[in-house]
Amino acid sequence: GGSAAEDLPRLEYFLRFAVGVYGWRMLSLMHPQQFHAEGGFSFQDERAFRSYAGVEMRDVVKIRFRSDPFRPAFALCVDHATRSVVLAVRGSLDPADFLTDAVAYSLPFLDHRGHVAGAAHMGMLRAAEELLDEVRVPLHAAMRRHSGYELRLVGHSLGAGCTALIAALLKHRERW
């Protein structure tokens, strides 16, 4: 890596995925001029995500905008422009997300050998584990199908915590 300033365009690029996974409700508040313009965002979450993130329908591997406790909304897609498979996890937006946030006990984070590798927010760790269980098969398939692509984990708020923990789970518990 380069300096933080050199990384800003790349960070800004992937921020589109983290923001886009909020769907049309948030995007219409953030960009009302685009949302109401002819050809602007749709009231459908997936179409709004694809428009904002710049992803074609064929490149959306799996997407879920409804959240439940410990099951945040997410999008798993392929970004050919950067040769990346992107897992974007939404931050807190719905009551179910706030329940996940509220389970704020510190929990030991164990590696694949059962050794303590650190501590984690209990709600976010459970959400990361649940999400990884949900996307494991399509994620591995996308990585195999797009050999040489990098995995990008992005999120905001709750989503950032979950993606950081997914990275740790992949490093410490999975054969990746």
Side-chain angles (χ1 to χ4, degrees):
S3 70
E6 292 170 342
D7 288 339
L8 284 177
R10 184 173 50 91
L11 295 172
E12 184 178 17
Y13 180 88
F14 286 105
L15 180 63
R16 296 178 316 154
F17 294 88
V19 172
V21 79
Y22 277 92
W24 74 267
R25 290 179 290 172
M26 185 64 77
L27 293 172
S28 68
L29 293 173
M30 293 174 59
H31 303 285
Q33 68 286 357
Q34 286 179 291
F35 181 77
H36 295 293
E38 186 67 31
F41 295 125
S42 165
F43 280 93
Q44 297 173 358
D45 285 323
E46 185 174 345
R47 187 178 290 170
F49 169 78
R50 286 188 288 108
S51 173
Y52 196 77
V55 175
E56 298 291 327
M57 184 182 301
R58 69 178 178 273
D59 294 322
V60 174
V61 177
K62 187 166 185 168
I63 196 164
R64 180 171 42 76
F65 288 97
R66 182 172 175 262
S67 61
D68 292 308
F70 310 110
R71 296 187 69 230
F74 72 93
L76 176 62
C77 57
V78 178
D79 181 48
H80 298 289
T82 61
R83 297 181 51 82
S84 301
V85 173
V86 180
L87 176 60
V89 183
R90 190 182 74 197
S92 302
L93 182 65
D94 293 329
D97 300 320
F98 297 112
L99 290 173
T100 300
D101 292 333
V103 182
Y105 301 102
S106 180
L107 193 65
F109 180 83
L110 305 177
D111 66 15
H112 68 280
R113 295 180 310 273
H115 299 121
V116 175
H121 178 285
M122 184 178 177
M124 287 186 189
L125 179 58
R126 182 164 170 205
E129 290 169 335
E130 296 274 342
L131 185 54
L132 188 54
D133 284 346
E134 184 172 348
V135 301
R136 182 178 285 109
V137 171
L139 174 60
H140 281 284
M143 294 300 292
R144 277 192 308 275
R145 191 171 29 255
H146 301 284
S147 179
Y149 279 35
E150 293 186 343
L151 175 60
R152 304 286 181 173
L153 303 170
V154 299
H156 167 259
S157 182
L158 170 64
C162 287
T163 55
L165 288 166
I166 287 171
L169 288 168
L170 291 172
K171 179 180 179 182
H172 292 290
R173 295 188 189 170
E174 301 272 327
R175 299 219 185 272
W176 193 250

